[in-house]
Amino acid sequence: MKRLISLTIALLMIVISSNTVSGQEILRPVMNSYALEIGTSHLTDTYLSPLKYKGQTYAFGYDRMQAMKFNPDRWVMSLRVELGVDKTNNPAKNATIWGAGIAARWGMIYKLPVSQCPVKFAIGGSTGINLGALYTTRNGNNPVAAKASWTVNLTGMATLTTRLGRLPIIFCYRPTLPVTGVFFSQGYGELYYEIYLGNHKNLTHAAWFGNYFNLDNLVTADLRFGATSLRIGYHNTILSTSANHLVTRMATHSFTFGVSGEWIGFDSRRGLSNPTRIISAIY
């Protein structure tokens, strides 16, 4: 056991030292972005209605990315938080389903060492929660369908840094796909009052591709006008769940626009050492 512990510590020291240059200070800028989204939403939830509803989706998204301290050349931390609201109508336009939710994901990705390719790739994993609800003004007994899930996801990133004339542009594609987890689903026709009274059977379900599919695609372009960039892009989500004889299908297509930028934190009293190396999270 002592040999195993010593070997593990030695390997960690080798990994850390291999990514540290003696006498060189490494700065890891924080990439932050704030974006608004507007687009279309397509919804079917058989707990509320068998019909397909169409309408609008609105969202606010926050992203934070930073190279990890233990291996900044290869590992990147990623955090995304999103608040969304949907308003959809049935084909006759006489009933509305409102949707609201919050989603948060945290993960780490590994930059693949492909030096000759202009497109940089990274792959990793994340964990996230989704909380929300659907509400219809038409139903009397069952007007609300609660939504909740915790998942472990595969995630990746592909980036391309180029120029449009003299303007630097960073294109980025970030897909996320859950592989396992748990999600909530009430029974067909089950009232929430029944759950309140103690009927807790079959409310949580193990998530896998057969009953819980939630693909998230985010494509962005950062136009770098200086320290702050203009972010434009496209965001697509596809959700499909099936449990307790209930089916939910939801897809959104959104245009996203906002601002992004990298911020460096250091002790101004001490200043910067010479030489100093800056490692970006995405390029």
Side-chain angles (χ1 to χ4, degrees):
M1 178 60 70
K2 291 184 178 179
R3 287 186 176 183
L4 180 60
I5 295 175
S6 300
L7 180 60
T8 302
I9 294 175
L11 290 175
L12 287 174
M13 293 300 295
I14 292 174
V15 171
I16 294 174
S17 62
S18 66
N19 291 279
T20 304
V21 179
S22 179
Q24 185 181 67
E25 183 176 1
I26 294 179
L27 296 181
R28 301 170 295 115
V30 176
M31 169 66 80
N32 284 332
S33 72
Y34 305 86
L36 296 175
E37 300 179 5
I38 181 171
T40 60
S41 178
H42 306 262
L43 168 67
T44 300
D45 187 276
T46 55
Y47 181 76
L48 300 178
S49 172
L51 301 177
K52 183 176 181 179
Y53 283 60
K54 298 181 181 180
Q56 297 80 42
T57 182
Y58 309 92
F60 170 78
Y62 167 74
D63 283 280
R64 175 188 172 97
M65 301 182 71
Q66 186 180 24
M68 298 297 294
K69 187 175 183 179
F70 67 87
N71 192 341
D73 285 306
R74 288 287 174 255
W75 287 98
V76 174
M77 180 276 294
S78 174
L79 170 68
R80 178 171 176 82
V81 180
E82 184 174 340
L83 299 170
V85 175
D86 297 87
K87 180 185 178 184
T88 57
N89 298 309
N90 65 359
K93 308 295 183 182
N94 59 3
T96 300
I97 291 181
W98 289 87
I102 179 173
R105 292 195 304 267
W106 181 93
M108 292 173 56
I109 55 176
Y110 178 79
K111 293 181 179 179
L112 300 178
V114 185
S115 58
Q116 302 300 323
C117 182
V119 180
K120 306 303 180 183
F121 297 95
I123 188 170
S126 66
T127 183
I129 59 171
N130 289 268
L131 301 173
L134 300 174
Y135 169 74
T136 177
T137 58
R138 187 164 189 172
N139 293 357
N141 290 331
N142 301 332
V144 177
K147 305 295 178 184
S149 66
W150 167 77
T151 57
V152 177
N153 321 301
L154 284 175
T155 187
M157 182 174 69
T159 60
L160 172 64
T161 302
T162 184
R163 287 180 177 270
L164 181 61
R166 295 185 178 182
L167 180 65
I169 302 177
I170 302 174
F171 293 98
C172 183
Y173 169 54
R174 295 167 58 191
T176 302
L177 179 66
V179 293
T180 189
V182 293
F183 69 101
F184 168 85
S185 177
Q186 68 279 11
Y188 184 83
E190 182 178 13
L191 300 176
Y192 286 92
Y193 183 66
E194 296 177 85
I195 299 175
Y196 172 76
L197 292 178
N199 185 14
H200 300 153
K201 290 186 60 177
N202 297 324
L203 295 180
T204 57
H205 306 268
W208 64 291
F209 295 124
N211 63 2
Y212 188 94
F213 181 86
N214 189 7
L215 178 62
D216 186 289
N217 295 294
L218 179 62
V219 182
T220 59
D222 287 355
L223 286 65
R224 305 189 67 182
F225 292 101
T228 302
S229 301
L230 171 65
R231 170 165 291 191
I232 58 175
Y234 165 74
H235 190 198
N236 162 244
T237 63
I238 301 173
L239 172 66
S240 176
T241 68
S242 177
N244 292 343
H245 306 290
L246 294 174
V247 174
T248 298
R249 301 280 188 269
M250 188 172 186
T252 63
H253 304 272
S254 304
F255 171 73
T256 177
F257 60 96
V259 295
S260 66
E262 289 185 311
W263 287 266
I264 300 177
F266 66 95
D267 190 346
S268 59
R269 297 169 298 177
R270 188 166 56 90
L272 295 175
S273 65
N274 189 19
T276 300
R277 186 182 175 202
I278 300 175
I279 301 179
S280 172
I282 64 173
Y283 60 87

